[in-house]
Every structure is written in C-alpha cells, then in structure tokens.
Amino acid sequence: ENEAFENILYILDDISAIPELQWDYRMPFSGFAKYLREEQIKNYALILDKEGEKAMGKPVGIYVTMESRKEIQKESALKEAVCQELREILGKRKIQSVLVAGVGNRQITSDSLGPETIDRLIVTRHLYDDGQKKGISAIAPGVMGQTGMEAQEVLYGIVSATKPDCVLVVDALMAREADRLCTTVQITDTGITPGAGIGNKRAVLNEETLGVPVFAVGVPTVVASQTIIRDCVESALKKMA
C-alpha cells in the first residue's frame, strides 16, 4: 500500500491544469516546437484536423508525447501514466480483441524494443471459446532482411485470419534530440511507418493497409551522431551567451 501511494504521489506531483493552445496553421510548426521547448512542456497531446494534416504533413489523428526523467526513476509510475493514455485512446472505440505487433530487429539492441515487448506480454486470446473475438494476441513479424517479407504483409495475413478489433504496434524510434533518448514515450492512433526515422521507410502500418484501426507506441532508442553534435554545439553557445 505504501508503494502504491508513493506511485500516486509521483503522478500527482506532475499534474497541473491542462492548457489548450489553438495553433494557427498559417504559422510554421517549427514555431510550435520552439514554443514547447521555451515553455519546457514535456507531456502534450497534439490533435490534428484536416487543416493541420496539410500544414504538418501528418495524418489526422491524436499524437501524445510523454517525457519525465523523474518518473523514469519510478518505473511503475511511468507505466501507469502510459497505460492511462492508452486506455483513454482505445476506450473511445468498442475494442475487445487486440493484436500487439512488436516491430523491429531482435538482433539489434536499439531496434529490439518491439520483439522484447512481445516476450514480456501475457496473451489471452487462446483462453476464450472459439468464435469469440476477445483477448490479446501477439506477434513479432521481424524485418525484411530476416523474413523476406514486409511487416505489413505478415500483419495483413494475420489480421485477415484472426480478425482483431485493432492492432497495437510497438516500435523503437529515432530521437530528434539526444535528451529524449529512452526518456520519451509517443502514442498515436494513426499507425506508423517502420524505418522512417533512419531513412529506410517500409510499408505503412495503418487502418488503410491493415483493414483495422492501428495504434502505435514508440520509444526513441536511437540518435544520429549529427544530432548529438548539434545538441553539444547549442549547449556550448548557450553557456557562452
């Protein structure tokens, strides 16, 4: 009970009034990113409509970013916060069965988040009677270099056969800032494009390609060397100013 209470305190400590910002799409979204940095906003939800889709080049949907180094030290608190976000997004739909897809290369540590998640998942689909669309099923489809198939092709076949209500994709991401490495969790209801962060785009995983709603959870586990150099230079310039 003491541990549970302590976890609640960690979460409540970060809770404050949630401000809403109606961003003018005529202004570049680089300005929005600058606004987040200046206000030191780490946890936010970005909801794009049709106008925002054209301005930002991303599909209409919900984009949630959660970052908290303090909660990283309290793993259970971070888990609860992420689970709460997933409950809110998934709860808007009548979902009884979920296919969890752990995308990535198990042989590469920084890309193994998806497969490692599947290894730790408790599947329940087989516990229900035949014909019932309930429970959790899971698959790590591998990468094209291992299977000769796109993850989208593998998942489409499984979705067609098992007919889950939705697919939840877990994947490693490329960090745009070094300090976001392994400290940020990103959630969206628009799907994901595996390999996009490193310039190796594979087939898109979304509702259009798989036939069911696709949600994605990603954690930045890779950062480019030029990003580290840029961050170091910016930090040095700030100290000199």
Side-chain angles (χ1 to χ4, degrees):
E1 292 180 355
N2 289 338
E3 183 179 354
F5 182 69
E6 187 178 347
N7 292 341
I8 293 173
L9 290 179
Y10 267 95
I11 296 174
L12 292 177
D13 186 48
D14 277 353
I15 293 179
S16 57
I18 301 176
E20 291 189 5
L21 174 67
Q22 297 295 328
W23 192 257
D24 188 340
Y25 291 128
R26 291 172 298 178
M27 302 170 67
F29 269 88
S30 57
F32 179 67
K34 184 173 182 291
Y35 171 80
L36 293 176
R37 287 196 301 271
E38 290 179 347
E39 297 297 321
Q40 296 184 343
I41 297 175
K42 302 297 184 181
N43 303 328
Y44 61 89
L46 175 64
I47 301 176
L48 289 185
D49 56 16
K50 283 292 183 181
E51 191 176 1
E53 179 180 33
K54 294 179 181 179
M56 198 169 182
K58 286 188 174 184
V60 171
I62 298 173
Y63 299 83
V64 177
T65 296
M66 305 177 66
E67 180 180 357
S68 179
R69 292 172 183 78
K70 181 172 64 176
E71 288 185 0
I72 286 293
Q73 299 170 5
K74 203 66 180 176
E75 186 178 344
S76 56
L78 180 61
K79 285 180 182 178
E80 179 57 35
V82 172
C83 288
Q84 180 60 35
E85 288 293 340
L86 286 175
R87 280 193 291 265
E88 289 184 10
I89 294 176
L90 295 175
K92 296 177 181 178
R93 305 170 186 251
K94 295 181 179 180
I95 293 174
Q96 291 186 310
S97 58
V98 179
L99 169 62
V100 182
V103 177
N105 189 339
R106 187 186 296 273
Q107 307 301 322
I108 301 176
T109 302
S110 59
D111 193 35
S112 63
L113 176 67
E116 290 290 339
T117 300
I118 298 302
D119 290 345
R120 291 163 171 75
L121 197 64
I122 299 176
V123 295
T124 59
R125 181 176 179 271
H126 61 295
L127 301 178
Y128 293 92
D129 295 334
D130 292 340
Q132 286 187 300
K133 289 177 56 181
K134 291 184 178 180
I136 298 173
S137 54
I139 186 70
V143 295
M144 180 172 279
Q146 296 171 325
T147 65
M149 297 177 286
E150 289 275 10
Q152 183 270 330
E153 294 172 325
V154 177
L155 294 177
Y156 179 77
I158 296 173
V159 169
S160 300
T162 62
K163 296 178 172 55
D165 291 332
C166 73
V167 175
L168 176 61
V169 180
V170 181
D171 195 11
L173 306 177
M174 169 75 79
R176 292 186 178 179
E177 298 176 14
D179 61 358
R180 285 194 168 194
L181 198 63
C182 298
T183 64
T184 302
V185 179
Q186 296 180 325
I187 304 171
T188 182
D189 64 350
T190 63
I192 193 170
T193 304
I198 59 174
N200 182 32
K201 287 186 178 181
R202 310 312 312 169
V204 179
L205 305 177
N206 58 20
E207 186 169 1
E208 183 178 349
T209 60
L210 296 184
V212 295
V214 178
F215 304 90
V217 178
V219 176
T221 59
V222 179
V223 63
S225 57
Q226 55 264 39
T227 299
I228 298 175
I229 294 171
R230 183 201 64 200
D231 290 349
C232 290
V233 171
E234 289 181 353
S235 177
L237 290 175
K238 287 180 180 179
K239 291 179 180 179
M240 295 170 60

